[in-house]
Structures are given as structure tokens and as C-alpha cells.
Amino acid sequence: VVKLLVDSRKPMLLKAEDFKRLVKEGRLHDSMRRPSVSWLGVPLISNGEMVGLMAVHSHEEGIEYTERDVFV
């Protein structure tokens, strides 16, 4: 998932169904023992260069990140 974020350089908000779709499309390996219910990653950009990223995820049903969280 991190590679997808690094390649896009844009915030990513993924739900369980997004993980399944990405695996089916071959863009993500199904290697997670316990898939995330919700995953949010944002690139850290300084002077036009990506210097890192911040990511959080939830494994609990009912605890999901939203578009609002992307901008916090």
C-alpha cells in the first residue's frame, strides 16, 4: 500500500473493499494476515519532494477514517 501512495504522491483513503479490489487488480499482494478495515496515508512533501509519509489504520469494525481525516 505504501508503494501506491509513494507512486501517486496523493493522500489515500482505503476501505476493506478497496483492499480486495486492489488485490484482484494485481496492484496489491494479499499478504496481510489481518486486513485493515480502514487505512489512511498522506505523503509529506517539502519543497516539492516527498520526504516521508504518515499512515494510520484500523482493524476494528466501526472505526473507519473519512475524507475529513485526510485534511486533519
Side-chain angles (χ1 to χ4, degrees), residues 29-43:
H29 295 285
D30 190 12
S31 60
M32 291 187 263
R33 282 188 243 153
R34 187 174 169 204
S36 297
V37 171
S38 184
W39 188 90
L40 170 62
V42 293

Side-chain angles (χ1 to χ4, degrees), residues 7-47:
D7 290 346
S8 74
R9 295 174 52 116
K10 295 180 181 176
M12 291 182 70
L13 178 61
L14 302 173
K15 307 290 185 197
E17 58 271 9
D18 297 315
F19 283 104
K20 291 175 187 172
R21 178 181 47 80
L22 290 169
V23 168
K24 192 173 186 177
E25 292 173 354
R27 297 175 59 201
L28 186 64
H29 295 285
D30 190 12
S31 60
M32 291 187 263
R33 282 188 243 153
R34 187 174 169 204
S36 297
V37 171
S38 184
W39 188 90
L40 170 62
V42 293
L44 303 175
I45 309 287
S46 176
N47 295 322

Side-chain angles (χ1 to χ4, degrees), residues 44-69:
L44 303 175
I45 309 287
S46 176
N47 295 322
E49 302 240 355
M50 186 169 169
V51 296
L53 64 91
M54 186 179 337
V56 291
H57 61 104
S58 171
H59 289 289
E60 290 202 36
E61 294 291 332
I63 299 177
E64 296 184 7
Y65 300 103
T66 67
E67 289 292 330
R68 182 175 174 201
D69 295 317

